[in-house]
């Protein structure tokens, strides 16, 4: 039996543990908080993530508890749509539901240890850093130069029990801020971001909500309605942290997955998805190849892909939160909207 120690029992860690062959590996998951989180913010499950859930045998259960997100618009601060995007079969899944299903997929042979890891597990086996943006595995193996970097942007998100208004769904881009509204299981999911002096840690959620209500007071009525209904018990507030680009996700007998490897800004909604894909990819390679070859293949398949997504997400954040360039951004998006309207009118006249 080969030994694998997974540090972190979140999305990436549980997904990996669920896919490793029990007859080949002796797996231990170390997690400091084994209980499910109390706040179930919603994660977009893109097709690649849904394929990973299918690999784990839980896609049907995931779809059963997750609404299809459908179409949504990028809008100006007043709510006027610029661009409408069809999300197809994209689903919005509660983080609580996702962790619950991942936990249920982990074989009973996997050993669970409740502890906050300060030193890497001893032994000759593989150590997997699945411990998030502030990964102790990344710090101890890759060094302090690989520490996470805090941005100036606050991420505030939550749910309200009121049903989502289909006419309000989308992302609203103002001057230096954005606000998103989407469906959630049993209500409405919302999120907001702007440059804030709160934090970087220990942010009071009520204070963040009050700051948001002031910040978005002149925005679309749909935003003000959501924030009026938001409560701290169903909201989360944290500064956005990212990891520096690593030359490799593998070093010796250590490998990184999920946010420990590539924590990115949330603007593309791909962080949780890529964590799932990391886990399934690594597990399938370890199940079928010798460890050294499996790790090399994992690094080839995942590093450049996730790095490209990290860069694209950072660019999207700069565009969405533009301040001095906001008037130019809005004019360009207005031009794109009018061009699309003329094209649609022309197509209708030609039929």
């Amino acid at each position: 039996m080969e030994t694998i120690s997974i540090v972190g029992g979140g999305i990436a860690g549980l997904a990996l543990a669920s896919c490793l062959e029990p007859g080949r590996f002796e797996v231990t998951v170390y997690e400091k908080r084994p209980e499910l989180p109390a706040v179930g913010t919603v994660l977009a499950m893109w097709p690649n993530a849904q394929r990973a859930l299918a690999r784990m045998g839980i896609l049907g259960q995931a779809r059963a508890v997750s609404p299809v997100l459908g179409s949504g618009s990028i809008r100006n601060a007043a709510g006027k749509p610029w661009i409408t995007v069809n999300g197809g079969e994209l689903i919005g899944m509660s983080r609580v539901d996702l962790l619950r299903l991942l936990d249920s997929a982990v074989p009973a042979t996997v050993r669970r240890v409740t502890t906050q890891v300060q030193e890497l597990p001893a032994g000759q086996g593989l150590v997997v850093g699945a411990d998030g943006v502030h990964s102790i595995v990344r710090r101890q193996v890759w060094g302090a130069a690989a520490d996470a970097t805090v941005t100036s942007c606050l991420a505030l998100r939550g749910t309200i029990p009121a049903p989502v208004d289909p006419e309000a769904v989308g992302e609203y881009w103002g001057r230096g801020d954005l606000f998103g509204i989407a469906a959630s299981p049993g209500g409405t999911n919302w999120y907001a971001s702007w440059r804030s002096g709160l934090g970087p840690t220990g942010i009071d959620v009520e204070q963040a909500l009050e700051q948001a209500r002031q910040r978005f007071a002149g925005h679309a009525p749909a935003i003000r309605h959501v924030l009026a209904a938001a409560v701290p018990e169903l909201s989360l507030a944290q500064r956005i942290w990212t990891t520096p680009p690593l030359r490799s996700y593998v070093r010796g007998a250590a490998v990184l997955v999920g946010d420990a490897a590539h924590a990115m800004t949330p603007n593309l909604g791909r962080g949780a998805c890529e964590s799932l894909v990391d886990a399934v990819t690594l597990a399938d390679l370890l199940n079928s190849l010798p460890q050294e070859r499996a790790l090399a293949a994992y690094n080839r398949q995942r590093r450049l892909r996730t790095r490209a997504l990290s860069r694209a997400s950072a660019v999207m954040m700069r565009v969405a939160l533009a301040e001095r360039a906001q008037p130019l951004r809005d004019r360009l998006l207005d031009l794109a909207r009018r061009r699309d309207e003329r094209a649609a009118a022309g197509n209708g006249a030609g039929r």
Side-chain angles (χ1 to χ4, degrees):
M1 296 282 283
E2 299 176 52
T3 300
I4 297 182
S5 298
I6 302 173
V7 181
I11 292 172
L14 291 176
L16 177 61
S18 74
C19 293
L20 291 167
E21 289 185 3
R24 178 173 176 179
F25 299 105
E26 185 179 275
V27 179
T28 302
V29 175
Y30 298 85
E31 170 55 38
K32 61 181 178 180
R33 289 188 299 266
E35 69 278 1
L36 292 176
V39 179
T41 53
V42 174
L43 306 168
M45 292 287 104
W46 291 77
N48 62 343
Q50 293 188 45
R51 288 191 291 272
L53 294 174
R55 161 68 177 83
M56 289 176 264
I58 57 175
L59 178 58
Q61 295 165 275
R63 285 178 171 165
V65 296
S66 307
V68 175
L69 295 181
S71 62
S73 299
I74 296 178
R75 307 166 182 266
N76 64 16
K80 187 172 184 178
W82 281 316
I83 301 168
T84 298
V85 179
N86 185 353
E89 293 302 309
L90 191 70
I91 60 174
M93 190 170 190
S94 161
R95 180 181 292 273
V96 173
D97 286 335
L98 177 58
L99 289 170
R100 175 177 56 81
L101 290 177
L102 290 174
D103 187 73
S104 71
V106 175
T109 54
V110 171
R111 179 170 169 254
R112 312 287 191 107
V113 177
T114 301
T115 185
Q116 183 166 355
V117 172
Q118 300 292 344
E119 297 292 335
L120 299 191
Q124 302 302 311
L126 179 66
V127 175
V128 181
D131 47 343
V133 63
H134 300 295
S135 169
I136 188 68
V137 178
R138 190 182 66 246
R139 180 175 180 82
Q140 289 197 10
V141 179
W142 275 257
D147 277 356
T149 301
V150 66
T151 72
S152 61
C153 297
L154 181 72
L156 178 64
R157 50 199 165 182
T159 59
I160 60 172
V164 69
D165 178 0
E167 298 301 316
V169 169
E171 200 162 88
Y172 300 70
W173 291 1
R175 187 178 182 88
D177 53 49
L178 68 85
F179 198 96
I181 298 173
S184 77
T188 298
N189 178 58
W190 64 271
Y191 54 92
S193 187
W194 68 96
R195 291 175 179 84
S196 171
L198 296 178
T201 60
I203 297 172
D204 181 80
V205 179
E206 182 57 63
Q207 185 180 3
L209 280 170
E210 183 55 35
Q211 193 175 100
R213 293 181 182 114
Q214 296 174 13
R215 176 90 195 195
F216 294 95
H219 287 52
I223 296 176
R224 302 199 301 272
H225 172 77
V226 167
L227 287 175
V231 296
E233 295 77 15
L234 297 177
S235 306
L236 290 173
Q238 55 194 169
R239 286 278 282 277
I240 297 173
W241 295 74
T242 61
T243 51
L246 301 177
R247 298 185 65 179
S248 175
Y249 293 164
V250 177
R251 181 166 288 186
V255 58
L256 301 175
V257 294
D259 281 353
H262 47 70
M264 60 187 77
T265 68
N267 300 78
L268 292 181
R270 299 300 288 263
C273 295
E274 298 309 313
S275 294
L276 291 170
V277 177
D278 283 354
V280 168
T281 301
L282 179 59
D284 286 346
L285 289 166
L286 288 169
N287 287 340
S288 58
L289 294 173
Q291 180 175 299
E292 187 174 347
R293 287 175 55 197
L295 295 178
Y298 166 77
N299 196 52
R300 286 195 304 271
Q301 293 181 34
R302 298 302 299 154
R303 191 180 68 84
L304 293 180
R305 164 73 174 171
T306 52
R307 182 58 191 151
L309 286 170
S310 294
R311 288 175 174 171
S313 191
V315 169
M316 182 66 80
M317 183 174 76
R318 288 196 292 271
V319 173
L321 298 180
E323 293 185 281
R324 286 183 297 177
Q326 176 257 333
L328 174 61
R329 179 201 67 192
D330 289 6
R331 285 197 297 271
L332 291 173
L333 287 168
D334 278 331
L335 287 172
R337 175 183 55 81
R338 288 196 290 268
R339 181 200 61 198
D340 290 345
E341 289 173 348
R342 287 194 298 268
N347 291 336
R351 284 197 292 269

